[in-house]
Amino acid sequence: MHTVYNVFPGIDLIYQELESASCAAMTYNNTDDNILEINHCHEGRAEYRMKDGSFIYLGEGDMFISSMRNQIVKIEFPLKYYKGFTVIFYVDKLAENISQIDLLNDLNIDFDALWEKFLGNNQHLMIHSRDEIEHIFKGMYSAPKASRKTYFKLKMLELLVFLNFFEVSPEEQRKLYFQQQVETIKHIHKQIIENPNVNYTIEALSRQNFISPTTLKTYYKEIYGIPIAADIRTNRMKQACKLLSQSQIKISDIAREVGYNSPSKFAAAFNNFTGISPSEYRKKVCQIKSTSRDLSEHSLELCDRSCQALAENQSMGRDITELKLAEENLISERDRLYSLLDTLPAYVCLIAPDYTIRFTNINYRKRFGEVKGRLCHELYFNMCRPCRNCMAPAVFNGNKLEWEWVSHKNGIFQVFQYPFYDADGTVLMLELFIEITERKHMEDNIRLSKERIFKSFDDTPILKIYSSLGDMRCLDVSDDFLCYTGYSREELIDTALAELNVFDSRAVNEVVQKVLQHGSCSNYEILLRKKSGDVSTVLLSAEKAGLDGELVLSSISTNYYRLKMGG
């Protein structure tokens, strides 16, 4: 959605809210260089390809200033959504009208010096997220419609004051990226997405693509806004979800499909990602599909009965009264069918081939309001025509689809789409929305919690292990633990400590039971076996960790005799 506001003669403001991979760059009728374009990102991420071939990445809260001397020629959105404002200063036109605009005169700004500051030596400038920028733009995204015209005028004056006093410095410039670098990172991203079964390492990807590991990690996060290691894990889990929901492949085979040789390690990783086991996930998906299938079969039965009644009426030459009776029966059948949809604990709507919304159930109306009769692309994406990659035609042709919808107004939803036959035989599309916003936020909180725990590992010389509660499967260890035992990180991560015989399995089970019963245990004597085979007695303390208490943080003291002697 694009909305243009002419704030002052020579100052245009454009609001953009898009759920797309790209959009067209601004084009100007005026070929003069004296045009200044300012972009502010509120949500999402933008990739700007400049006239000179360089690339700039705009993150949330950032503001990017460019001129026609090196203008934006192509825009892409790596996260497939974007929300922000574009401010355009037509310098010459504004200069002609400044004397007639009292508000601008009152600013006492030397506009010639202002334009020279940004149109002179600096062809573009990135200003990172800061409180002053946030203060200017934040209220603009929620301004009441009735007062926007006046409010936007005040905000443009505030922006001009900020630009007037802003000192351009080299530190404000973000590093430029050029085509070869960007294409390399995008090639690696595509490689990761298309091959979830491959166990990629940053070192291997670096060697294959002739790029250093540090550069790979830095550029990848700059372009996609997420660390490459996290993106690899997320992609593998999303592919696993897809296979679990759309096929009957064995879970052990799915594990191999997404790069896990051990089904137990896959199950643990999947549980960490979704909060449930693979089998539970498949069971829930099957329950939803079964409900939809029952509804679809019921609608087909109603359709057959209705068509049969109409055919019999025609063949027997019944009068108009009986036809009206059949119509009434048809309406009654439809009402019963819609009543059944009202009982579903999901957000449900029916969409016709002309993209109009025919029906919404009670839960849908409570959440999204009364939208019957509206066009789906208009409602969901503020578009005047069907989406370019619309999946509805495939559903009307008999396909069943599942996808994830991220709406920055309403939340995150798992969407299921099925062909559906109305009581009169019309083919409709049944959409079921299952909200997963809370689950997604919980995943983020769990990830942040784990990161904080992992970060604390190297802050103390005491040996530390971070493991799952059930099988003491190692999730991370401190560097001191690796040094003391002689194991490498790769040998320990994702492996149950009992498998390596690092600790006595009986003692491990006792520690787990104490933590389950009391939440922690302190100074438990246990034998620790190094990789060399040497055995030493240590004191192990353990406590629950993680948001749900499903993890164990263990601290190990190797100074056994000193602690036993009391100091």
Side-chain angles (χ1 to χ4, degrees):
M1 177 179 71
H2 292 75
T3 307
V4 181
Y5 303 91
N6 180 239
V7 184
F8 292 112
I11 302 180
D12 284 348
L13 180 64
I14 303 172
Y15 172 70
Q16 303 176 79
E17 185 173 351
L18 306 165
E19 295 192 8
S20 171
S22 63
C23 77
M26 295 295 300
T27 56
Y28 302 95
N29 295 326
N30 191 344
T31 58
D32 196 309
D33 286 343
N34 290 336
I35 296 177
L36 198 67
E37 181 178 317
I38 299 178
N39 286 278
H40 176 262
C41 174
H42 183 57
E43 294 179 3
R45 198 169 191 81
E47 173 191 281
Y48 296 135
R49 181 168 183 170
M50 310 306 293
K51 188 177 179 180
D52 65 1
S54 62
F55 290 78
I56 297 287
Y57 291 90
L58 187 68
E60 293 184 356
D62 293 343
M63 187 170 78
F64 179 58
I65 305 174
S66 61
S67 70
M68 294 306 96
R69 298 173 189 177
N70 189 18
Q71 70 186 89
I72 299 169
V73 296
K74 187 177 181 180
I75 304 174
E76 294 189 2
F77 306 114
L79 304 183
K80 304 295 188 296
Y81 67 88
Y82 178 80
K83 183 177 181 180
F85 272 108
T86 298
V87 184
I88 304 170
F89 292 104
Y90 297 92
V91 176
D92 294 337
K93 184 176 180 181
L94 186 59
E96 295 172 1
N97 292 276
I98 284 179
S99 60
Q100 304 172 27
I101 305 173
D102 293 336
L103 289 172
L104 292 177
N105 279 321
D106 293 341
L107 292 178
N108 293 320
I109 291 176
D110 184 346
F111 284 96
D112 291 335
L114 179 62
W115 306 136
E116 179 61 27
K117 184 193 311 188
F118 295 104
L119 294 175
N121 296 326
N122 294 283
Q123 296 181 359
H124 51 247
L125 178 71
M126 175 70 73
I127 304 178
H128 303 299
S129 176
R130 53 169 64 192
D131 292 341
E132 302 98 306
I133 297 174
E134 179 75 4
H135 178 73
I136 294 170
F137 284 96
K138 184 177 180 180
M140 294 169 58
Y141 292 97
S142 57
K145 189 173 182 179
S147 59
R148 284 177 190 170
K149 186 175 181 180
T150 302
Y151 186 75
F152 287 163
K153 285 184 177 181
L154 295 174
K155 285 297 179 181
M156 290 302 97
L157 296 176
E158 191 177 351
L159 177 61
L160 283 168
V161 172
F162 170 78
L163 295 174
N164 184 54
F165 289 102
F166 179 76
E167 293 296 330
V168 177
S169 64
E171 289 75 18
E172 291 294 338
Q173 292 283 358
R174 178 168 286 182
K175 184 176 179 181
L176 300 178
Y177 297 88
F178 292 92
Q179 187 168 358
Q180 184 176 356
Q181 298 168 330
V182 172
E183 287 181 351
T184 298
I185 298 301
K186 288 185 176 181
H187 170 73
I188 292 172
H189 177 72
K190 183 180 180 183
Q191 202 174 342
I192 291 169
I193 296 299
E194 293 180 350
N195 301 283
N197 60 317
V198 178
N199 283 308
Y200 290 113
T201 65
I202 292 174
E203 291 73 18
L205 289 170
S206 300
R207 288 194 302 271
Q208 293 171 11
N209 294 276
F210 305 101
I211 186 172
S212 73
T214 301
T215 300
L216 171 57
K217 290 188 286 187
T218 301
Y219 285 16
Y220 197 98
K221 187 172 182 181
E222 183 71 12
I223 292 175
Y224 293 103
I226 183 174
I228 183 172
D231 207 19
I232 290 173
R233 288 194 298 270
T234 299
N235 179 56
R236 292 165 77 180
M237 291 301 103
K238 285 184 176 180
Q239 178 65 12
C241 290
K242 182 178 179 181
L243 292 173
L244 286 166
S245 62
Q246 297 182 5
S247 72
Q248 294 302 313
I249 300 175
K250 292 181 179 178
I251 292 177
S252 58
D253 293 335
I254 291 177
R256 285 189 289 272
E257 286 285 331
V258 295
Y260 288 85
N261 293 324
S262 167
S264 62
K265 290 182 179 180
F266 164 68
F270 189 89
N271 196 7
N272 286 338
F273 182 77
T274 63
I276 58 177
S277 68
S279 58
E280 289 174 320
Y281 182 88
R282 172 171 275 173
K283 183 179 180 181
K284 288 190 175 183
V285 170
C286 288
Q287 288 174 345
I288 293 173
K289 289 184 176 180
S290 176
T291 301
S292 177
R293 184 169 56 251
D294 292 343
L295 288 171
S296 186
E297 290 173 355
H298 181 63
S299 66
L300 279 173
E301 180 185 349
L302 294 176
C303 173
D304 291 341
R305 286 165 57 188
S306 300
C307 291
Q308 182 180 0
L310 290 173
E312 288 175 353
N313 284 342
Q314 291 175 350
S315 64
M316 296 175 66
R318 291 179 180 172
D319 60 22
I320 192 67
T321 304
E322 293 186 6
L323 286 174
K324 287 184 177 181
L325 181 60
E327 291 174 3
E328 291 173 359
N329 290 335
L330 194 63
I331 293 171
S332 178
E333 292 283 12
R334 179 184 286 119
D335 290 341
R336 282 196 290 270
L337 178 62
Y338 288 176
S339 295
L340 181 59
L341 294 176
D342 265 334
T343 64
L344 290 179
Y347 307 111
V348 180
C349 69
L350 294 174
I351 299 176
D354 63 357
Y355 302 102
T356 57
I357 297 175
R358 291 278 188 90
F359 167 83
T360 56
N361 73 344
I362 292 174
N363 287 329
Y364 188 104
R365 294 193 293 275
K366 286 181 179 178
R367 180 63 182 271
F368 303 103
E370 184 57 66
V371 298
K372 184 178 178 181
R374 291 187 62 182
L375 299 170
C376 60
H377 46 267
E378 174 190 82
L379 174 66
Y380 297 138
F381 304 111
N382 293 305
M383 297 177 65
C384 59
R385 59 177 59 89
C387 308
R388 181 167 46 184
N389 298 319
C390 180
M391 295 179 283
V395 178
F396 291 129
N397 286 328
N399 295 292
K400 301 175 182 179
L401 302 177
E402 175 189 348
W403 52 285
E404 193 173 290
W405 176 40
V406 179
S407 170
H408 298 283
K409 290 182 178 179
N410 298 303
I412 307 173
F413 299 86
Q414 197 78 18
V415 182
F416 300 89
Q417 295 174 315
Y418 301 97
F420 188 88
Y421 295 88
D422 201 356
D424 62 358
T426 304
V427 181
L428 303 175
M429 177 171 67
L430 172 69
E431 283 190 337
L432 291 93
F433 296 81
I434 308 295
E435 184 166 8
I436 57 174
T437 308
E438 186 176 346
R439 192 195 81 192
K440 290 289 185 181
H441 290 168
M442 183 63 72
E443 290 170 5
D444 290 340
N445 290 336
I446 291 172
R447 175 180 56 78
L448 292 173
S449 175
K450 289 178 181 178
E451 287 177 358
R452 286 194 295 269
I453 293 172
F454 292 162
K455 187 177 183 300
S456 70
F457 273 25
D458 295 324
D459 294 342
T460 173
I462 295 177
L463 312 187
K464 288 189 175 182
I465 305 175
Y466 188 51
S467 58
S468 58
L469 181 57
D471 56 3
M472 292 294 280
R473 179 178 52 84
C474 180
L475 301 177
D476 203 356
V477 294
S478 65
D479 292 339
D480 293 300
F481 186 92
L482 300 175
C483 181
Y484 184 79
T485 61
Y487 285 101
S488 67
R489 190 175 298 276
E490 289 73 19
E491 289 175 311
L492 294 177
I493 299 301
D494 276 344
T495 303
L497 297 179
E499 292 182 17
L500 290 173
N501 205 22
V502 176
F503 297 112
D504 177 64
S505 59
R506 178 191 58 79
V508 168
N509 289 333
E510 290 182 7
V511 169
V512 170
Q513 292 303 314
K514 287 178 180 292
V515 172
L516 284 172
Q517 292 174 10
H518 308 293
S520 65
C521 71
S522 300
N523 295 332
Y524 186 86
E525 295 183 22
I526 192 169
L527 295 178
L528 185 150
R529 183 173 286 98
K530 301 179 183 180
K531 186 175 181 180
S532 64
D534 294 340
V535 178
S536 58
T537 302
V538 298
L539 296 177
L540 184 146
S541 299
E543 61 180 342
K544 287 185 178 181
L547 293 179
D548 298 324
E550 78 286 9
L551 307 171
V552 178
L553 177 61
S554 302
S555 301
I556 300 169
S557 175
T558 58
N559 202 339
Y560 169 73
Y561 292 105
R562 180 180 175 187
L563 287 175
K564 292 297 287 182
M565 296 294 292

